[in-house]
């Protein structure tokens, strides 16, 4: 399986990047978080995602499916989704909770599939289980999601946005242990951000979780544990995070990183 990070940042990245960062990836800036699985499945499509795909020379017409974590503006840009859908002869399949459906209902050439947390679905060659996430979309009944995906015997967890792992989601992960790869929200860094810690992880929280995940056999010593969704205003520069976190067993993602496993 191959995963490419189209962005590894949070909501504090400007929609229009400074000019020096527009034409190439740089570890000095983080675009809004999104990944490409293989070359046909995206998780989230915010305002930077299509530009990242163009930098990678990806064939956007091959993207058949979009899984949505939630509809905050840094994760879903309806204009970008509409542009992606317009490139396809067949409708772009969008997978999201029922509360998010109205965001996509007026986009042309899409086929919307409502999801329910805990209910396994087949998406192409992938088995996908949406998991409830500890995050909040204000003034809606939308339940943000994390995802557990399996493709040709490889399993990975995608957990951006969200703090900790909810109890029901934890039990589901235990039923599919051990995972080959886990991607975690690391929004807050070392800053004391108060209320943000109710819906985002800090580095200290992740350091507490990793031994527990191993004791519960959700992760093994071979599992790749990856940090993403890092707020640029709440973190040290990339190389500093690497120096601090990689000796503790974490891989620090950056925009344009591709991981095969």
């Amino acid at each position: 399986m191959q995963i490419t990070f189209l962005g590894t940042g949070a909501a504090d990245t400007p929609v229009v990047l400074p000019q020096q960062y527009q034409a190439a990836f740089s570890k000095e800036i983080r675009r809004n978080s999104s990944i490409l699985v293989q070359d046909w499945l995206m998780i989230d499509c915010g305002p930077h995602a299509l530009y990242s795909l163009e930098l990678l020379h990806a064939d956007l017409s091959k993207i058949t499916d979009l899984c949505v974590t939630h509809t905050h503006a840094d994760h879903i840009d309806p204009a970008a989704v509409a542009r992606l859908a317009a490139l396809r002869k067949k409708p772009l399949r969008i997978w999201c909770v029922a509360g998010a459906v109205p965001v996509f209902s007026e986009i042309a050439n899409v086929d919307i599939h409502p999801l329910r947390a805990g209910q396994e679905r087949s998406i192409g060659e992938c088995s996908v289980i949406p998991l409830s996430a500890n995050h909040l979309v204000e003034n809606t009944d939308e339940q943000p999601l994390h995802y557990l995906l399996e493709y040709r015997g490889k399993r990975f967890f995608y957990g951006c946005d969200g703090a900790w792992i909810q109890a029901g989601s934890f039990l589901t992960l235990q039923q599919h242990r051990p995972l080959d790869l886990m991607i975690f929200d690391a929004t807050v860094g070392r800053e004391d951000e108060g209320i943000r810690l109710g819906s985002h992880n800090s580095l200290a929280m992740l350091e507490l979780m990793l031994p527990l995940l191993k004791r519960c056999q959700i992760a093994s010593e071979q599992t790749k544990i990856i940090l993403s969704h890092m707020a640029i205003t709440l973190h040290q520069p990339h190389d500093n995070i690497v120096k601090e976190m990689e000796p503790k067993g974490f891989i620090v993602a950056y925009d344009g990183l591709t991981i095969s496993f």
Side-chain angles (χ1 to χ4, degrees), residues 61-121:
S61 68
K62 288 185 177 180
I63 298 172
T64 58
D65 293 87
L66 170 64
C67 288
V68 177
T69 62
H70 63 297
T71 57
H72 279 158
D74 57 317
H75 287 257
I76 290 296
D77 175 15
V81 176
R83 181 182 163 200
L84 186 62
L87 295 172
R88 293 193 42 74
K89 293 180 180 179
K90 295 182 179 180
L92 174 70
R93 293 191 293 262
I94 297 177
W95 305 81
C96 63
V97 293
V101 167
V103 174
F104 306 102
S105 59
E106 296 186 6
I107 298 176
N109 200 37
V110 299
D111 182 13
I112 304 173
H113 296 261
L115 296 174
R116 182 184 302 169
Q119 183 179 66
E120 185 172 355
R121 305 292 294 270

Side-chain angles (χ1 to χ4, degrees), residues 19-213:
Q19 188 170 4
Q20 68 267 33
Y21 300 124
Q22 292 179 10
F25 292 118
S26 169
K27 293 178 182 178
E28 297 180 5
I29 194 80
R30 295 187 182 277
R31 293 164 169 80
N32 294 146
S33 289
S34 174
I35 62 171
L36 178 67
V37 182
Q38 298 299 101
D39 60 357
W40 58 271
L41 170 64
M42 286 180 67
I43 299 182
D44 287 343
C45 184
H48 305 128
L50 300 192
Y51 297 106
S52 294
L53 288 165
E54 290 169 358
L55 289 178
L56 293 163
H57 305 291
D59 185 348
L60 275 64
S61 68
K62 288 185 177 180
I63 298 172
T64 58
D65 293 87
L66 170 64
C67 288
V68 177
T69 62
H70 63 297
T71 57
H72 279 158
D74 57 317
H75 287 257
I76 290 296
D77 175 15
V81 176
R83 181 182 163 200
L84 186 62
L87 295 172
R88 293 193 42 74
K89 293 180 180 179
K90 295 182 179 180
L92 174 70
R93 293 191 293 262
I94 297 177
W95 305 81
C96 63
V97 293
V101 167
V103 174
F104 306 102
S105 59
E106 296 186 6
I107 298 176
N109 200 37
V110 299
D111 182 13
I112 304 173
H113 296 261
L115 296 174
R116 182 184 302 169
Q119 183 179 66
E120 185 172 355
R121 305 292 294 270
S122 293
I123 302 179
E125 293 185 62
C126 282
S127 168
V128 178
I129 303 178
L131 304 170
S132 295
N134 188 26
H135 193 62
L136 176 67
V137 180
E138 299 81 356
N139 303 314
T140 75
D141 61 355
E142 180 184 340
Q143 169 61 60
L145 297 174
H146 290 163
Y147 285 97
L148 172 62
L149 293 93
E150 181 171 352
Y151 175 78
R152 297 183 179 179
K154 298 291 186 179
R155 294 186 292 271
F156 81 93
F157 168 77
Y158 185 81
C160 305
D161 283 349
W164 306 108
I165 300 173
Q166 287 197 352
S169 301
F170 195 93
L171 291 173
T172 300
L173 294 177
Q174 282 190 298
Q175 293 166 7
H176 294 81
R177 62 190 179 188
L179 304 185
D180 297 285
L181 182 146
M182 303 185 78
I183 302 169
F184 282 102
D185 175 298
T187 301
V188 178
R190 293 292 180 193
E191 299 294 326
D192 179 7
E193 281 294 302
I195 195 170
R196 286 182 192 243
L197 297 179
S199 58
H200 295 285
N201 292 323
S202 69
L203 296 180
M205 291 161 67
L206 291 161
E207 289 168 357
L208 288 172
M209 272 196 281
L210 183 54
L212 175 61
L213 293 169

